[in-house]
């Protein structure tokens, strides 16, 4: 139960089984790294959560440790910890992940040096790079969300999905799309 609660509270955060085990031990729940791996695998196989691995865009390889977890059904997640208005960014990121999964993409978390790309979706030998942000309301946020995508030197689509109602905006070829529009997009 504490493992599911921890995953519920930390949607979209990068973790390893050791990190989770250490945290649960600090909460007086002794659970080994192997047990965390087994339990998260069981939760994954039961379609409660999805484990998403990290992909190094420079080295073209998957990292062996560190992954993110997303919920199959946010209603179940909300039952565990309740709905929190302050979790808007996590909920939006989970929604974008779920929609990419629904559309048939193989999804990874991207890394380009020390920069994180929220999602790399691959389907039919094509890719799409996606950043998720509640709003682009400051220069720092714009630099982080668009800057991470600008580092990638290929011609696949790059998108920033937000709650902003702004339609058709772009920055150096990177499109900013409201989440409602993103959910209606066809491939």
């Amino acid at each position: 139960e504490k493992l599911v609660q921890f995953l519920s509270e930390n949607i979209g955060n990068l973790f390893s089984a050791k990190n989770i085990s250490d945290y649960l031990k600090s909460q007086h729940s002794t659970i080994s790294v192997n047990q965390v791996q087994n339990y998260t695998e069981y939760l994954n196989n039961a379609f409660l959560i999805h484990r998403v691995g990290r992909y190094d865009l420079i080295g073209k390889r998957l990292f062996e440790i560190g992954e993110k977890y997303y919920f199959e059904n946010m209603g179940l997640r909300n039952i565990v910890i309740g709905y929190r208005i302050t979790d808007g960014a996590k909920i939006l990121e989970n929604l974008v992940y779920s929609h990419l999964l629904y559309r048939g993409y193989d999804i990874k978390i991207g890394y380009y040096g020390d920069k994180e790309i929220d999602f790399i979706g691959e389907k039919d030998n094509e890719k799409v790079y996606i950043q998720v942000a509640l709003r682009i309301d400051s220069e720092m946020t714009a630099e982080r969300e668009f800057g991470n995508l600008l580092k990638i030197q290929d011609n696949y689509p790059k998108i920033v999905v937000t709650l902003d109602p702004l339609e058709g905006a772009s920055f150096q070829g990177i499109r900013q799309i409201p989440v409602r529009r993103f959910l209606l997009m066809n491939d």
Side-chain angles (χ1 to χ4, degrees):
E1 288 177 19
K2 288 191 178 191
L3 174 62
V4 173
Q5 183 177 4
F6 176 83
L7 294 172
S8 297
E9 292 173 347
N10 292 285
I11 289 173
N13 291 339
L14 188 62
F15 289 103
S16 68
K18 178 156 179 22
N19 296 128
I20 295 170
S21 176
D22 290 346
Y23 171 78
L24 293 174
K25 284 178 187 173
S26 76
Q27 300 298 307
H28 309 293
S29 289
T30 304
I31 181 169
S32 72
V33 173
N34 288 340
Q35 285 177 303
V36 169
Q37 290 172 329
N38 288 339
Y39 291 162
T40 56
E41 188 64 27
Y42 299 153
L43 293 168
N44 191 62
N45 290 342
F47 301 105
L48 181 64
I49 62 169
H50 295 273
R51 179 181 29 242
V52 183
R54 297 184 309 149
Y55 183 74
D56 178 9
L57 289 160
I58 296 172
K60 308 283 188 213
R61 63 183 172 82
L62 278 172
F63 287 98
E64 294 181 16
I65 59 169
E67 57 266 333
K68 290 186 176 189
Y69 296 94
Y70 295 95
F71 271 73
E72 172 74 21
N73 182 321
M74 289 300 288
L76 295 175
R77 179 258 186 187
N78 292 341
I79 288 171
V80 174
I81 63 167
Y83 174 77
R84 299 175 183 170
I85 194 91
T86 56
D87 285 350
K90 295 175 184 182
I91 293 168
L92 180 60
E93 190 171 328
N94 204 112
L95 175 65
V96 170
Y97 169 80
S98 295
H99 190 66
L100 288 169
L101 192 64
Y102 169 77
R103 289 175 48 196
Y105 282 94
D106 178 34
I107 307 161
K108 295 175 183 63
I109 307 304
Y111 278 85
Y112 193 90
D114 64 343
K115 304 292 184 193
E116 180 183 301
I117 310 303
D118 288 334
F119 301 113
I120 303 170
E122 292 187 57
K123 181 168 94 170
D124 300 328
N125 294 319
E126 295 290 324
K127 291 181 186 176
V128 62
Y129 301 100
I130 298 177
Q131 288 289 95
V132 181
L134 280 177
R135 287 173 191 76
I136 305 296
D137 55 1
S138 71
E139 191 71 30
M140 190 172 82
T141 303
E143 186 177 308
R144 180 185 65 238
E145 302 303 337
F146 289 100
N148 289 0
L149 295 174
L150 285 171
K151 300 271 185 206
I152 303 169
Q153 299 297 311
D154 65 24
N155 293 321
Y156 290 113
K158 296 165 184 76
I159 300 170
V160 176
V161 178
T162 70
L163 289 180
D164 292 329
L166 188 60
E167 183 97 23
S170 69
F171 178 78
Q172 295 186 23
I174 298 171
R175 293 173 31 204
Q176 180 179 343
I177 300 175
V179 67
R180 288 181 182 189
R181 181 81 169 127
F182 175 76
L183 296 173
L184 295 173
M185 289 176 56
N186 294 322
D187 293 330

